[in-house]
Amino acid sequence: MFNRKRRLRQVAAIASISSLVTGCGVFSSGSSDDKGPITVGTTSAPSTLDPAASWDQSWELFRNIYQTLLSYPSGATSPQPDAADNCRFTDSASKTYRCELRSGLKFADGHTLDARAVKYSIDRIRKINLNGGPAGLLGSLDRVQVLGDREVVFHLNKADATFPFVLATPAMSIVDPDEYPASSLRKDGKVYGSGPYTLASYEEGKKAELVRNDNYQGYADRKNSAVTIRYYQESAPMVADLKKGALDAAFRGMDADDIVDLQKHDADGNIQLVEGAGIEINYLVFNPKHSWASNVAVRKAVAQVVDRGAIAHKVYKDTVEPLYSMVPKGLTGHTTDFFDDFGNPSTAKARKILTDAGIKERVPLTFWYTTDRYGSSTKLEFAELKRQLEDSGLFTITLKSRPWKTYVQGYQDGEYPVFGRGWFPDFPDPDNFIAPFVGNQNALGTPYPEPEITGTLLPRSRSESDRANVVSDFERAQQILVNDARLLPLWQGKQFVAASEDISGAEQALDPSTIMMMWQLYRKTSW
């Protein structure tokens, strides 16, 4: 399993990662107590500790400290019971979903976790209804019913075969009703969950210290007793710490140059670099509240000029690949509609789009990006976008940036004409690359009413439990997005986890939505 001479351990798909290590007995796992916690670095710091406020990479921490009814054990591609003992649709119309909880569940503070707590947690998300928050995931939910201490019934207002996937997202984390206010966010920085770990201490933007939750009952087989997550704003210092042994592992936000460099260390045998096929995407959002960005001809002209291949090669050193659809390669219904409609980058075609719309002057646009969410290559990416668009002679681009926490507030308030976002999926289904971005309330905080998608295509696809039968609906949805050009896909990422040579479990640590399951990591105690 651990081959010093291999340059890179390729993982064909995250969902099948576990098959690479099943039955491998070269190393035995043991407690990390003798050498302290497993220390993991990432550039993906939480924006909040309250699940009702988060539709972003705060989920990475949530998966490890909170619990959901359903989740993804290693190797699973569909949701499996976690806090629940079993869940199922009880009708043929996919409108009534019933879950029975495990017996004897408790929060980390010893309070009882029962059906009332589940209902309270879900109702709380909807009542707070934060703009850009996870309430947007619950559009198909009518009401939550409690039957006794252990049974919860979700009554949907329309067929929704994806509802189990929604319940498996960390947004649906179960919180203690005695500790979390029903109609407002928790603001004291404390966490009361029932997940594999408790949050022993937290320094915003710096580190989170996790220790084993002795009250936990769920699927996670914890291979360590403590994890410290260190948050970085840039890739370089994180990778430097990994090389000198200050970190045991690193993921999320490693720059292309650092990944290429780590491949060399992998060949030397002192760093493992695990690559997985990812479904992370990166894209631009045009806000129609701003004059130039509201013009479809401007948006299409930008789409006609942008050279995705140059971004993937020059900025990301081919650690990502060009993306021509909001639904990434590898998922049902993926298309290449942006390429089919616009072809290769062309200044001449872009100029014609603008002149046909009566636009003859250079178009001024302000592009915003975040400095500390997706890695420091983001700055280079936006510099390359600026270069491409200004070299066409058709645009004047101003670049602005903010740290993630204030960046989020800016796009939720509709402040940015054009802004960059990455999307780490809530769940591995094409629905999750369309639905979160449309409707009056969505993950972007920028209303995008699209009645054919929200009123016809998504409802029809959600009535189909066999997801192979939804291809035509998602192909149509993607063509509508291309016609509007309000969302411009740029690239699809790969997943990388780098770890020191004495750490095992990295191959199993990413779930199908690419969230890191910290309990899979452990130190090798024998060779």
Side-chain angles (χ1 to χ4, degrees), residues 40-46 61 202-208 229-233:
V40 181
T42 178
T43 63
S44 188
L61 181 60
Y202 181 71
E203 295 180 57
E204 185 176 337
K206 295 182 178 179
K207 69 176 180 178
I229 306 172
R230 291 182 56 188
Y231 299 112
Y232 294 80
Q233 292 193 358

Side-chain angles (χ1 to χ4, degrees), residues 234-488:
E234 295 184 345
S235 172
M238 178 172 70
V239 172
D241 280 351
L242 176 67
K243 289 179 180 178
K244 68 184 182 183
L247 291 177
D248 295 306
F251 76 106
R252 195 85 73 205
M254 289 183 286
D255 287 347
D257 286 338
D258 289 323
I259 291 171
V260 171
D261 183 56
L262 286 171
Q263 290 176 356
K264 299 174 183 177
H265 286 269
D266 189 32
D268 295 337
N270 57 353
I271 295 287
Q272 309 171 63
L273 186 63
V274 177
E275 177 185 331
I279 50 176
E280 164 200 358
I281 69 170
N282 182 276
Y283 57 99
L284 293 177
V285 182
F286 292 84
N287 186 348
K289 291 182 180 179
H290 293 262
S291 57
W292 286 111
S294 70
N295 191 313
V296 67
V298 170
R299 302 195 299 262
K300 288 186 174 183
V302 172
Q304 185 63 74
V305 170
V306 168
D307 188 340
R308 296 166 176 82
I311 293 171
H313 182 67
K314 292 171 61 176
V315 177
Y316 290 97
K317 310 297 171 61
D318 300 316
T319 60
V320 305
E321 55 186 320
L323 181 64
Y324 298 95
S325 163
M326 289 299 288
V327 176
K329 185 188 301 183
L331 290 186
T332 299
H334 165 74
T335 69
T336 55
D337 284 344
F338 269 95
F339 185 83
D340 298 341
D341 280 28
F342 294 99
N344 291 316
S346 169
T347 295
K349 290 180 179 179
R351 181 177 289 107
K352 186 175 188 305
I353 291 171
L354 292 174
T355 54
D356 285 352
I359 302 171
K360 298 181 180 179
E361 68 270 37
R362 288 178 74 117
V363 176
L365 289 171
T366 300
F367 280 33
W368 282 82
Y369 64 93
T370 180
T371 57
D372 58 352
R373 169 60 57 167
Y374 309 117
S376 45
S377 290
T378 304
K379 180 178 181 179
L380 302 177
E381 175 185 348
F382 274 76
E384 173 63 14
L385 285 168
K386 174 181 170 71
R387 184 198 66 77
Q388 291 178 10
L389 292 167
E390 290 193 338
D391 282 358
S392 72
L394 304 174
F395 300 93
T396 300
I397 305 298
T398 300
L399 298 182
K400 293 186 177 182
S401 62
R402 285 176 177 165
W404 177 253
K405 193 151 191 172
T406 52
Y407 184 75
V408 171
Q409 191 61 53
Y411 71 67
Q412 290 178 348
D413 290 344
E415 182 180 345
Y416 312 144
V418 186
F419 61 97
R421 276 296 308 267
W423 184 249
F424 302 96
D426 305 325
F427 49 86
D429 187 275
D431 184 284
N432 197 233
F433 290 87
I434 303 291
F437 311 125
V438 295
N440 290 322
Q441 183 180 41
N442 59 51
L444 303 172
T446 303
Y448 185 0
E450 214 316 305
E452 184 178 352
I453 294 179
T454 58
T456 302
L457 300 176
L458 289 176
R460 187 165 62 205
S461 70
R462 287 171 176 173
S463 68
E464 180 56 68
S465 58
D466 185 348
R467 306 308 283 164
N469 295 332
V470 300
V471 171
S472 60
D473 285 335
F474 285 108
E475 288 178 343
R476 171 59 185 158
Q478 289 169 89
Q479 185 60 57
I480 291 171
L481 297 183
V482 172
N483 295 342
D484 291 344
R486 282 185 52 174
L487 303 171
L488 184 62

Side-chain angles (χ1 to χ4, degrees), residues 61-359:
L61 181 60
F62 293 175
R63 177 66 80 205
N64 292 275
I65 59 177
Y66 291 105
Q67 196 172 19
T68 46
L69 289 171
L70 302 166
S71 193
Y72 297 96
S74 292
T77 56
S78 60
Q80 304 296 318
D82 186 7
D85 183 63
N86 61 81
C87 292
R88 64 187 177 91
F89 280 107
T90 60
D91 64 334
S92 59
S94 299
K95 293 179 67 176
T96 306
Y97 195 71
R98 173 191 174 277
C99 289
E100 184 179 3
L101 298 181
R102 294 176 186 260
S103 177
L105 289 172
K106 293 182 179 180
F107 290 100
D109 59 1
H111 292 176
T112 298
L113 192 167
D114 56 12
R116 181 182 71 92
V118 175
K119 174 178 168 57
Y120 182 90
S121 300
I122 303 299
D123 287 347
R124 178 174 180 265
I125 292 170
R126 302 173 79 194
K127 188 170 186 179
I128 292 174
N129 196 26
L130 187 73
N131 185 30
L137 287 167
L138 294 169
S140 64
L141 180 62
D142 180 34
R143 62 188 176 93
V144 185
Q145 180 184 13
V146 170
L147 299 175
D149 291 337
R150 293 176 54 198
E151 188 172 352
V152 185
V153 182
F154 299 92
H155 298 276
L156 309 184
N157 53 38
K158 51 194 171 187
D160 188 357
T162 71
F163 191 71
F165 290 92
V166 172
L167 289 180
T169 67
M172 303 301 132
S173 295
I174 305 166
V175 300
D176 188 341
D178 294 332
E179 301 289 347
Y180 287 76
S183 56
S184 62
L185 298 176
R186 183 170 188 151
K187 298 178 180 178
D188 63 2
K190 296 181 180 179
V191 168
Y192 289 94
S194 60
Y197 301 97
T198 59
L199 186 62
S201 68
Y202 181 71
E203 295 180 57
E204 185 176 337
K206 295 182 178 179
K207 69 176 180 178
E209 294 184 341
L210 315 183
V211 297
R212 182 186 290 254
N213 174 15
D214 292 333
N215 287 331
Y216 172 71
Q217 292 187 60
Y219 73 90
D221 178 15
R222 292 164 294 186
K223 294 178 169 62
N224 60 66
S225 58
V227 174
T228 296
I229 306 172
R230 291 182 56 188
Y231 299 112
Y232 294 80
Q233 292 193 358
E234 295 184 345
S235 172
M238 178 172 70
V239 172
D241 280 351
L242 176 67
K243 289 179 180 178
K244 68 184 182 183
L247 291 177
D248 295 306
F251 76 106
R252 195 85 73 205
M254 289 183 286
D255 287 347
D257 286 338
D258 289 323
I259 291 171
V260 171
D261 183 56
L262 286 171
Q263 290 176 356
K264 299 174 183 177
H265 286 269
D266 189 32
D268 295 337
N270 57 353
I271 295 287
Q272 309 171 63
L273 186 63
V274 177
E275 177 185 331
I279 50 176
E280 164 200 358
I281 69 170
N282 182 276
Y283 57 99
L284 293 177
V285 182
F286 292 84
N287 186 348
K289 291 182 180 179
H290 293 262
S291 57
W292 286 111
S294 70
N295 191 313
V296 67
V298 170
R299 302 195 299 262
K300 288 186 174 183
V302 172
Q304 185 63 74
V305 170
V306 168
D307 188 340
R308 296 166 176 82
I311 293 171
H313 182 67
K314 292 171 61 176
V315 177
Y316 290 97
K317 310 297 171 61
D318 300 316
T319 60
V320 305
E321 55 186 320
L323 181 64
Y324 298 95
S325 163
M326 289 299 288
V327 176
K329 185 188 301 183
L331 290 186
T332 299
H334 165 74
T335 69
T336 55
D337 284 344
F338 269 95
F339 185 83
D340 298 341
D341 280 28
F342 294 99
N344 291 316
S346 169
T347 295
K349 290 180 179 179
R351 181 177 289 107
K352 186 175 188 305
I353 291 171
L354 292 174
T355 54
D356 285 352
I359 302 171

Side-chain angles (χ1 to χ4, degrees), residues 30-38 223-226 503 521-523:
S31 170
S32 300
D33 292 344
D34 56 340
K35 293 185 179 179
I38 300 289
K223 294 178 169 62
N224 60 66
S225 58
I503 294 295
L521 303 175
Y522 63 91
R523 291 194 173 89

